Amino acid sequence: MKASLRTVRLELAEPLRISRSTMTARDAVWLAVEHDGVTGYGEAVSSVYYGLDAGTLVRLFSAVGLERFADPESALEALPSAAVPPAVVAAVESALLDLAGKRDGVPVHRLLGTETSFGVATARTIGITSLAHAAAEARRLAANGFEVVKVKAGSPDSEEDVERVRVIRDAAPQVRLLLDPNGAWSAAEAERLLPRFAALGVEAVEQPLPPGDPDALGALAQKSPLPVIADEDAVSVDDVRRLAGRVQGVNVKLAKCGGVRAALRIAELIEGSGTELMLGCLTASSLGLAPAVHLADRARWADLDGHLLLAHDPWTGIGGADGFVRTSGRPGLGVEESDRRGRQAEEVTAHEDVA
Protein backbone atom coordinates (compact mmCIF):
# COMPACT_ATOMS: atom_id res chain seq x y z
CA MET A 1 0.00 0.00 0.00
CA LYS A 2 1.02 3.60 -0.55
CA ALA A 3 0.30 6.50 1.80
CA SER A 4 0.61 10.28 1.67
CA LEU A 5 -0.20 13.14 4.03
CA ARG A 6 -1.53 16.67 3.69
CA THR A 7 -1.69 19.30 6.43
CA VAL A 8 -4.42 21.95 6.43
CA ARG A 9 -5.62 24.70 8.74
CA LEU A 10 -9.20 24.49 10.00
CA GLU A 11 -10.54 27.90 11.07
CA LEU A 12 -13.53 28.09 13.38
CA ALA A 13 -16.51 30.23 12.45
CA GLU A 14 -16.15 31.98 15.81
CA PRO A 15 -13.89 31.47 18.85
CA LEU A 16 -14.96 28.59 21.09
CA ARG A 17 -14.33 29.30 24.76
CA ILE A 18 -14.40 26.51 27.34
CA SER A 19 -13.31 26.53 30.97
CA ARG A 20 -9.61 25.96 30.27
CA SER A 21 -9.01 27.65 26.90
CA THR A 22 -10.33 29.48 23.85
CA MET A 23 -9.84 27.98 20.39
CA THR A 24 -10.00 29.78 17.05
CA ALA A 25 -8.40 27.19 14.73
CA ARG A 26 -6.58 23.89 14.67
CA ASP A 27 -4.44 22.00 12.19
CA ALA A 28 -5.59 18.80 10.55
CA VAL A 29 -3.40 16.13 8.97
CA TRP A 30 -5.10 14.06 6.28
CA LEU A 31 -3.88 10.55 5.55
CA ALA A 32 -4.54 9.01 2.12
CA VAL A 33 -3.93 5.26 1.73
CA GLU A 34 -4.00 3.84 -1.80
CA HIS A 35 -4.22 0.16 -2.77
CA ASP A 36 -5.13 -1.32 -6.15
CA GLY A 37 -6.40 2.02 -7.43
CA VAL A 38 -8.68 2.69 -4.45
CA THR A 39 -7.93 5.39 -1.85
CA GLY A 40 -9.14 5.65 1.73
CA TYR A 41 -8.84 8.73 3.94
CA GLY A 42 -8.44 9.56 7.61
CA GLU A 43 -7.90 12.72 9.64
CA ALA A 44 -6.12 13.60 12.88
CA VAL A 45 -6.27 17.09 14.37
CA SER A 46 -3.80 18.94 16.54
CA SER A 47 -4.57 19.18 20.25
CA VAL A 48 -2.82 21.21 22.92
CA TYR A 49 -4.59 19.11 25.58
CA TYR A 50 -3.16 15.87 24.16
CA GLY A 51 0.20 17.42 23.22
CA LEU A 52 -0.12 16.86 19.48
CA ASP A 53 0.83 19.51 16.92
CA ALA A 54 0.80 19.05 13.15
CA GLY A 55 4.52 18.30 12.89
CA THR A 56 4.28 15.63 15.57
CA LEU A 57 1.30 14.05 13.85
CA VAL A 58 3.17 13.89 10.54
CA ARG A 59 6.12 12.12 12.20
CA LEU A 60 3.83 9.68 13.98
CA PHE A 61 1.92 8.81 10.82
CA SER A 62 5.23 8.12 9.10
CA ALA A 63 6.22 5.78 11.93
CA VAL A 64 3.26 3.47 11.29
CA GLY A 65 4.85 2.14 8.11
CA LEU A 66 1.78 1.26 6.09
CA GLU A 67 3.90 0.28 3.09
CA ARG A 68 4.75 -2.95 4.94
CA PHE A 69 1.24 -4.32 4.51
CA ALA A 70 -0.24 -6.04 1.50
CA ASP A 71 -3.85 -4.98 2.12
CA PRO A 72 -6.00 -3.01 4.58
CA GLU A 73 -7.00 -6.10 6.53
CA SER A 74 -3.43 -7.02 7.47
CA ALA A 75 -2.74 -3.40 8.44
CA LEU A 76 -5.88 -3.28 10.59
CA GLU A 77 -4.87 -6.50 12.33
CA ALA A 78 -1.46 -5.07 13.23
CA LEU A 79 -2.62 -1.55 14.08
CA PRO A 80 -3.45 -2.07 17.78
CA SER A 81 0.21 -2.85 18.46
CA ALA A 82 1.47 0.34 16.79
CA ALA A 83 3.46 2.49 19.21
CA VAL A 84 1.64 5.72 18.36
CA PRO A 85 -1.00 7.78 20.23
CA PRO A 86 -4.70 6.89 19.98
CA ALA A 87 -5.45 9.85 17.70
CA VAL A 88 -3.05 8.49 15.08
CA VAL A 89 -4.38 4.94 15.47
CA ALA A 90 -7.92 6.26 14.97
CA ALA A 91 -7.01 8.18 11.81
CA VAL A 92 -5.09 5.27 10.27
CA GLU A 93 -7.96 2.92 11.09
CA SER A 94 -10.36 5.40 9.47
CA ALA A 95 -8.38 5.42 6.23
CA LEU A 96 -8.13 1.64 6.17
CA LEU A 97 -11.85 1.15 6.82
CA ASP A 98 -12.68 3.76 4.18
CA LEU A 99 -10.43 1.91 1.75
CA ALA A 100 -11.89 -1.51 2.57
CA GLY A 101 -15.46 -0.22 2.26
CA LYS A 102 -14.81 1.46 -1.08
CA ARG A 103 -13.06 -1.64 -2.40
CA ASP A 104 -15.99 -3.87 -1.36
CA GLY A 105 -18.69 -1.35 -2.32
CA VAL A 106 -20.18 -1.13 1.20
CA PRO A 107 -20.42 1.66 3.78
CA VAL A 108 -18.29 1.45 6.91
CA HIS A 109 -21.30 0.92 9.16
CA ARG A 110 -21.91 -2.40 7.40
CA LEU A 111 -18.32 -3.43 8.08
CA LEU A 112 -19.08 -2.66 11.74
CA GLY A 113 -22.29 -4.69 11.86
CA THR A 114 -25.12 -2.23 11.10
CA GLU A 115 -26.80 -3.09 7.83
CA THR A 116 -28.96 -0.04 7.08
CA SER A 117 -28.08 3.64 6.87
CA PHE A 118 -29.31 5.86 9.69
CA GLY A 119 -29.35 9.35 11.13
CA VAL A 120 -29.16 10.53 14.74
CA ALA A 121 -29.71 13.84 16.49
CA THR A 122 -26.44 15.52 17.41
CA ALA A 123 -25.83 18.03 20.15
CA ARG A 124 -24.58 21.45 19.07
CA THR A 125 -22.20 23.29 21.39
CA ILE A 126 -22.65 26.80 22.72
CA GLY A 127 -19.44 27.99 24.33
CA ILE A 128 -18.85 30.31 27.25
CA THR A 129 -20.17 33.52 25.73
CA SER A 130 -22.39 36.49 26.47
CA LEU A 131 -25.96 35.86 27.55
CA ALA A 132 -27.33 37.69 24.52
CA HIS A 133 -25.22 35.67 22.09
CA ALA A 134 -26.07 32.39 23.84
CA ALA A 135 -29.79 33.13 23.61
CA ALA A 136 -29.54 34.11 19.94
CA GLU A 137 -27.59 30.95 19.14
CA ALA A 138 -30.14 28.79 20.94
CA ARG A 139 -33.02 30.35 18.99
CA ARG A 140 -31.14 29.90 15.71
CA LEU A 141 -30.28 26.27 16.41
CA ALA A 142 -33.82 25.39 17.45
CA ALA A 143 -35.19 27.06 14.31
CA ASN A 144 -32.77 24.99 12.21
CA GLY A 145 -33.98 21.72 13.72
CA PHE A 146 -31.51 21.00 16.51
CA GLU A 147 -33.03 18.97 19.32
CA VAL A 148 -29.98 18.89 21.62
CA VAL A 149 -27.78 21.78 22.77
CA LYS A 150 -24.61 21.36 24.84
CA VAL A 151 -23.70 24.35 26.99
CA LYS A 152 -20.13 24.91 28.08
CA ALA A 153 -19.70 25.92 31.73
CA GLY A 154 -16.82 26.72 34.06
CA SER A 155 -16.85 30.52 34.07
CA PRO A 156 -14.93 32.20 36.92
CA ASP A 157 -18.34 33.28 38.22
CA SER A 158 -20.59 30.23 38.34
CA GLU A 159 -23.66 32.48 38.39
CA GLU A 160 -22.84 33.35 34.79
CA ASP A 161 -23.09 29.67 33.90
CA VAL A 162 -26.48 29.39 35.61
CA GLU A 163 -27.78 32.47 33.82
CA ARG A 164 -26.44 31.27 30.46
CA VAL A 165 -28.37 28.01 30.82
CA ARG A 166 -31.44 29.96 31.95
CA VAL A 167 -31.49 32.23 28.89
CA ILE A 168 -30.83 29.29 26.57
CA ARG A 169 -33.72 27.40 28.14
CA ASP A 170 -35.98 30.44 27.75
CA ALA A 171 -34.89 30.97 24.13
CA ALA A 172 -35.32 27.32 23.12
CA PRO A 173 -37.66 25.67 25.62
CA GLN A 174 -38.11 22.50 23.57
CA VAL A 175 -34.44 21.48 23.19
CA ARG A 176 -32.68 18.93 25.36
CA LEU A 177 -29.79 20.48 27.28
CA LEU A 178 -26.43 18.97 28.18
CA LEU A 179 -23.86 20.75 30.35
CA ASP A 180 -20.06 20.52 30.12
CA PRO A 181 -17.79 22.30 32.64
CA ASN A 182 -14.69 20.44 31.32
CA GLY A 183 -13.58 19.56 34.84
CA ALA A 184 -13.82 23.11 36.21
CA TRP A 185 -15.61 22.50 39.52
CA SER A 186 -14.61 21.18 42.91
CA ALA A 187 -16.81 18.49 44.45
CA ALA A 188 -18.37 21.09 46.74
CA GLU A 189 -19.15 23.41 43.83
CA ALA A 190 -20.66 20.56 41.84
CA GLU A 191 -22.88 19.51 44.72
CA ARG A 192 -24.06 23.11 45.11
CA LEU A 193 -24.61 23.81 41.40
CA LEU A 194 -26.02 20.60 39.96
CA PRO A 195 -29.44 20.87 41.66
CA ARG A 196 -29.83 24.34 40.14
CA PHE A 197 -29.04 23.07 36.66
CA ALA A 198 -31.39 20.13 37.18
CA ALA A 199 -34.16 22.60 38.03
CA LEU A 200 -33.51 24.32 34.67
CA GLY A 201 -34.09 21.04 32.84
CA VAL A 202 -30.50 20.05 32.06
CA GLU A 203 -30.46 16.38 31.04
CA ALA A 204 -26.90 15.39 32.00
CA VAL A 205 -23.52 16.87 32.93
CA GLU A 206 -20.13 15.95 31.48
CA GLN A 207 -16.98 15.79 33.60
CA PRO A 208 -17.92 18.27 36.34
CA LEU A 209 -14.76 17.51 38.36
CA PRO A 210 -11.08 17.81 37.37
CA PRO A 211 -9.82 14.61 35.74
CA GLY A 212 -7.50 12.34 37.66
CA ASP A 213 -9.76 11.17 40.50
CA PRO A 214 -12.32 8.74 39.09
CA ASP A 215 -13.31 7.70 42.60
CA ALA A 216 -14.44 11.26 43.34
CA LEU A 217 -16.34 11.41 40.04
CA GLY A 218 -18.05 8.10 40.81
CA ALA A 219 -18.98 9.27 44.30
CA LEU A 220 -20.48 12.47 42.89
CA ALA A 221 -22.43 10.50 40.28
CA GLN A 222 -24.10 8.40 42.96
CA LYS A 223 -25.68 11.45 44.62
CA SER A 224 -26.03 13.84 41.68
CA PRO A 225 -29.54 14.91 40.65
CA LEU A 226 -28.24 14.75 37.05
CA PRO A 227 -26.64 11.84 35.21
CA VAL A 228 -22.86 12.30 35.24
CA ILE A 229 -20.95 11.51 32.04
CA ALA A 230 -17.19 10.95 32.34
CA ASP A 231 -15.11 12.54 29.59
CA GLU A 232 -11.53 13.47 30.43
CA ASP A 233 -11.54 10.64 33.01
CA ALA A 234 -12.67 8.12 30.36
CA VAL A 235 -9.85 8.07 27.83
CA SER A 236 -9.06 4.37 27.42
CA VAL A 237 -10.79 1.03 27.72
CA ASP A 238 -9.10 0.57 31.11
CA ASP A 239 -10.40 3.96 32.27
CA VAL A 240 -13.93 2.99 31.32
CA ARG A 241 -13.57 -0.38 33.04
CA ARG A 242 -12.85 1.47 36.31
CA LEU A 243 -15.90 3.71 35.84
CA ALA A 244 -18.47 1.24 34.47
CA GLY A 245 -21.48 1.13 36.77
CA ARG A 246 -20.22 4.10 38.81
CA VAL A 247 -21.15 6.93 36.43
CA GLN A 248 -24.21 7.19 34.25
CA GLY A 249 -22.32 7.75 31.01
CA VAL A 250 -18.92 7.84 29.30
CA ASN A 251 -18.03 10.19 26.46
CA VAL A 252 -16.07 8.19 23.92
CA LYS A 253 -14.03 10.20 21.44
CA LEU A 254 -12.30 8.10 18.80
CA ALA A 255 -9.20 10.29 18.92
CA LYS A 256 -8.71 9.57 22.61
CA CYS A 257 -9.68 5.88 22.77
CA GLY A 258 -8.01 4.75 19.52
CA GLY A 259 -10.73 4.43 16.92
CA VAL A 260 -14.00 2.69 16.15
CA ARG A 261 -12.92 -0.80 17.19
CA ALA A 262 -11.79 0.48 20.59
CA ALA A 263 -15.11 2.32 20.89
CA LEU A 264 -16.95 -0.92 20.14
CA ARG A 265 -14.99 -2.65 22.90
CA ILE A 266 -16.04 0.12 25.29
CA ALA A 267 -19.67 -0.20 24.21
CA GLU A 268 -19.53 -3.94 24.87
CA LEU A 269 -17.80 -3.40 28.22
CA ILE A 270 -20.48 -1.03 29.59
CA GLU A 271 -23.47 -2.93 28.27
CA GLY A 272 -25.79 -3.76 31.15
CA SER A 273 -23.67 -1.87 33.69
CA GLY A 274 -25.96 1.15 34.03
CA THR A 275 -23.38 3.30 32.24
CA GLU A 276 -24.46 4.51 28.79
CA LEU A 277 -22.50 5.56 25.75
CA MET A 278 -21.98 9.10 24.51
CA LEU A 279 -20.09 9.62 21.28
CA GLY A 280 -18.13 12.85 21.24
CA CYS A 281 -15.58 14.49 19.00
CA LEU A 282 -12.89 17.09 18.65
CA THR A 283 -13.35 20.07 16.36
CA ALA A 284 -12.53 18.54 12.98
CA SER A 285 -13.80 18.25 9.43
CA SER A 286 -16.51 15.90 8.19
CA LEU A 287 -13.71 13.47 7.34
CA GLY A 288 -12.62 13.41 10.99
CA LEU A 289 -16.21 13.05 12.24
CA ALA A 290 -17.35 10.38 9.78
CA PRO A 291 -16.05 7.26 11.58
CA ALA A 292 -17.96 8.19 14.74
CA VAL A 293 -21.12 8.87 12.71
CA HIS A 294 -20.96 5.25 11.52
CA LEU A 295 -21.17 4.19 15.20
CA ALA A 296 -23.75 6.71 16.35
CA ASP A 297 -26.70 4.33 16.33
CA ARG A 298 -25.16 2.67 19.40
CA ALA A 299 -25.07 5.82 21.56
CA ARG A 300 -27.62 7.36 23.91
CA TRP A 301 -26.05 10.78 23.32
CA ALA A 302 -24.34 11.92 20.13
CA ASP A 303 -22.17 15.04 20.30
CA LEU A 304 -20.83 15.05 16.76
CA ASP A 305 -20.82 18.72 15.81
CA GLY A 306 -17.10 19.43 15.37
CA HIS A 307 -17.46 20.02 11.63
CA LEU A 308 -20.34 22.42 12.25
CA LEU A 309 -18.06 24.76 14.21
CA LEU A 310 -15.82 25.42 11.21
CA ALA A 311 -15.87 28.50 8.99
CA HIS A 312 -15.38 26.14 6.03
CA ASP A 313 -15.66 22.36 6.14
CA PRO A 314 -13.35 20.99 3.44
CA TRP A 315 -15.24 17.66 3.37
CA THR A 316 -18.92 16.82 3.04
CA GLY A 317 -21.15 13.79 3.40
CA ILE A 318 -22.39 13.43 7.01
CA GLY A 319 -24.93 16.26 7.20
CA GLY A 320 -25.55 17.95 10.54
CA ALA A 321 -26.77 21.43 9.57
CA ASP A 322 -30.34 20.42 10.44
CA GLY A 323 -29.36 18.85 13.76
CA PHE A 324 -28.95 15.30 12.45
CA VAL A 325 -25.79 13.52 11.29
CA ARG A 326 -26.29 10.67 8.86
CA THR A 327 -24.60 7.84 7.08
CA SER A 328 -25.12 8.22 3.35
CA GLY A 329 -25.10 4.60 2.22
CA ARG A 330 -22.16 5.33 -0.08
CA PRO A 331 -19.15 2.99 0.07
CA GLY A 332 -16.54 3.60 2.74
CA LEU A 333 -16.99 6.60 5.02
CA GLY A 334 -19.27 8.24 2.47
CA VAL A 335 -17.45 11.57 2.51
CA GLU A 336 -15.74 13.53 -0.22
CA GLU A 337 -13.78 16.75 -0.52
CA SER A 338 -16.00 19.79 -0.95
CA ASP A 339 -15.15 22.89 -3.03
CA ARG A 340 -11.52 22.48 -4.06
CA ARG A 341 -11.00 26.23 -4.25
CA GLY A 342 -12.03 26.70 -0.63
CA ARG A 343 -9.70 23.94 0.47
CA GLN A 344 -6.73 25.30 -1.43
CA ALA A 345 -6.93 28.54 0.53
CA GLU A 346 -6.52 26.59 3.77
CA GLU A 347 -3.89 24.08 2.73
CA VAL A 348 -0.60 24.35 4.58
CA THR A 349 1.62 21.73 2.99
CA ALA A 350 1.69 18.26 1.50
CA HIS A 351 3.94 15.37 2.45
CA GLU A 352 4.01 12.74 -0.27
CA ASP A 353 4.82 9.05 0.08
CA VAL A 354 5.40 9.13 3.82
CA ALA A 355 4.65 5.55 4.64
Side-chain angles (χ1 to χ4, degrees), residues 15-23 49 125-129 150-156 180-182 184 232:
L16 176 64
R17 180 186 168 199
I18 66 173
S19 61
R20 61 175 179 256
S21 63
T22 299
M23 181 173 59
Y49 187 77
T125 298
I126 295 178
I128 297 174
T129 187
K150 183 164 87 167
V151 186
K152 291 292 186 177
S155 301
D180 186 8
N182 288 107
E232 288 88 345

Side-chain angles (χ1 to χ4, degrees), residues 127-336:
I128 297 174
T129 187
S130 71
L131 300 184
H133 185 59
E137 273 293 279
R139 282 191 291 270
R140 181 183 69 83
L141 293 172
N144 287 343
F146 282 85
E147 298 178 356
V148 189
V149 169
K150 183 164 87 167
V151 186
K152 291 292 186 177
S155 301
D157 181 357
S158 60
E159 290 302 315
E160 291 184 13
D161 293 333
V162 175
E163 286 306 306
R164 189 176 306 105
V165 171
R166 191 186 312 278
V167 301
I168 288 171
R169 169 54 72 213
D170 290 344
Q174 72 275 33
V175 302
R176 297 161 53 200
L177 293 181
L178 304 174
L179 188 70
D180 186 8
N182 288 107
W185 297 336
S186 67
E189 287 174 315
E191 290 178 23
R192 174 175 61 84
L193 291 167
L194 289 178
R196 299 180 66 186
F197 288 113
L200 290 170
V202 171
E203 180 176 316
V205 59
E206 285 184 61
Q207 196 68 44
L209 305 183
D213 191 348
D215 290 336
L217 190 68
L220 176 67
Q222 296 311 305
K223 53 189 174 184
S224 170
L226 293 175
V228 171
I229 303 169
D231 183 358
E232 288 88 345
D233 267 327
V235 174
S236 67
V237 175
D238 288 340
D239 291 337
V240 174
R241 185 175 289 110
R242 286 189 287 268
L243 287 165
R246 304 175 67 191
V247 295
Q248 288 79 27
V250 289
N251 185 349
V252 173
K253 296 183 175 81
L254 303 190
K256 70 177 182 179
C257 75
V260 295
R261 294 177 301 169
L264 287 171
R265 290 196 295 273
I266 289 173
E268 182 179 359
L269 171 65
I270 64 176
E271 188 173 359
S273 71
T275 298
E276 296 188 88
L277 182 67
M278 180 180 196
L279 273 175
C281 65
L282 302 180
T283 304
S285 77
S286 287
L287 171 60
L289 271 290
V293 172
H294 283 266
L295 290 176
D297 61 322
R298 295 166 166 84
R300 174 177 173 180
W301 302 281
D303 180 24
L304 300 174
D305 67 338
H307 61 307
L308 303 176
L309 304 179
L310 300 179
H312 170 71
D313 184 356
W315 293 78
T316 186
I318 59 172
D322 62 350
F324 289 78
V325 290
R326 301 172 176 85
T327 59
S328 66
R330 293 192 295 269
L333 293 173
V335 297
E336 59 186 5

